[in-house]
Amino acid sequence: MRALSYARAADTGTAIALVAGDREAAFLAGGTTEVDLARQQVLRPGLLVDINDLPLDGVEDQPDGGLRIGALARMSDVARAPAVLARFPVISQSLLLGASAQLRNMASMGGNLCQRVRCGYFRDVASPCNKRDPGSGCGAIDGMNRGHAILGVSGSCIATHPSDVAVALVALDAVVRTRGPGGERDIGIDDFFLLPGDTPDREHPLEHGELITAIDVPPAPVARRSVYLKFRDRQSYEFALASVAAAIRVEDGTVAEVRLALGGVGTKPWRARRAEAALLGQPAGQAGFTEAAEQELAQATARPQNAFKVELAQRAIVRALNTLTNGDAR
Ligand SMILES: Cc1cc2nc3c(=O)[nH]c(=O)nc-3n(C[C@H](O)[C@H](O)[C@H](O)COP(=O)(O)OP(=O)(O)OC[C@H]3O[C@@H](n4cnc5c(N)ncnc54)[C@H](O)[C@@H]3O)c2cc1C
Ligand code: SF4
């Protein structure tokens, strides 16, 4: 039995100071990841600093047409916020396709970005896992890896990033705002998620005690017509085998602007930049969409159990683009 202390912070400065001052302390938001992992002894925090009293739960319109989403805004509140539904439907859809209604009511946006991987070896303390126990090896590379990543993998770790909304936020070039012992900073969301490389235990650039305060979504008129599609083993309460966040603007039959990101296939929420580059300026249609999807997945490193994800992700991209351009969900 390991002792676990609990403190409830009344203000942001206190929350940061409490965690920064104790190597074994962690923030506690909705608790839907942190408490699970502490119970399983995958994480062993000595002190949980509850941040739920901090005034960080708003969803605010910005003067430039963007949005500021507080780190403690609940997934369900963000999904139904009128500004999100009207201007960024891809955010709403990605949230509603994640977890369950009860979890979405508890789970915060900051916690969602910091949630840990669902790899079974990570969650089994008897198994080797470089992410949980650096240098111990990776149970998945030669083990059960049907759900694992095919993009951004390394010889140390092949776990997929599990968040759905992060995929939409990566497509929208969101910015993660933080405050820590060293002050405030803004981190572009694509830089917020680190590739595993040789250090899979380091998943994001946050320092110990650095708190996410908000997520800024810049204005993106293209996102008014956007979609999130998620493919999984069952239709609810399940993580993605592949997912896609897409937005596109077509002018005179040509792709004038496009945003694409993939989930369920990358070790981080995967901005599909190769596909975007292949699409821009080209005719909007099945042939171009298929070619772009194939170019993106050409960089995949698949294993026998998860090789099906290559075609699944390609088809997901094509279906999303068809859905947005002509309502055709082939
Ligand atoms: C059964 C189940 C199914 C799920 N299905 C999905 C799914 O399909 N799609 C999906 O996207 N997610 C899914 N999730 C994950 C869920 O969305 C996350 O657990 C949740 O978003 C985490 O938010 P939280 O507020 O509960 O975080 P917590 O559990 O409180 O915290 C999670 C981590 O984030 C840190 N943290 C929290 N807030 C901050 C902050 N402001 N700044 C810095 N660090 C912070 C904590 O210290 C901790 O390390 C599922 C979870 C469960 C249990
Ligand atoms: S894939 Fe990553 S999380 Fe899973 S066992 Fe290997 S190192 Fe650990």
Side-chain angles (χ1 to χ4, degrees), residues 167-201:
V167 179
L169 294 169
V170 162
L172 295 170
D173 289 322
V175 173
V176 179
R177 293 171 59 88
T178 73
R179 190 174 148 195
E184 297 183 357
R185 61 174 173 151
D186 293 347
I187 307 169
I189 194 152
D190 207 16
D191 297 326
F192 181 79
F193 298 107
L194 304 179
L195 289 169
D198 294 332
T199 52
D201 52 310

Side-chain angles (χ1 to χ4, degrees), residues 26-34 36 51 71 75 97-99 103 106-108 110-112 114-115 118 162-165 206 210-212 230 237-239:
F27 296 117
L28 180 71
T32 62
T33 285
E34 187 68 31
D36 263 9
I51 56 175
M75 289 170 68
L97 287 170
L103 283 162
M106 284 294 291
S108 68
N112 188 300
C114 294
Q115 65 176 288
R118 309 304 292 194
S163 170
D164 288 296
V165 72
L206 294 178
E210 189 172 356
L211 180 78
I212 299 174
K230 178 171 177 179
Y237 202 40
E238 185 56 284
F239 290 88

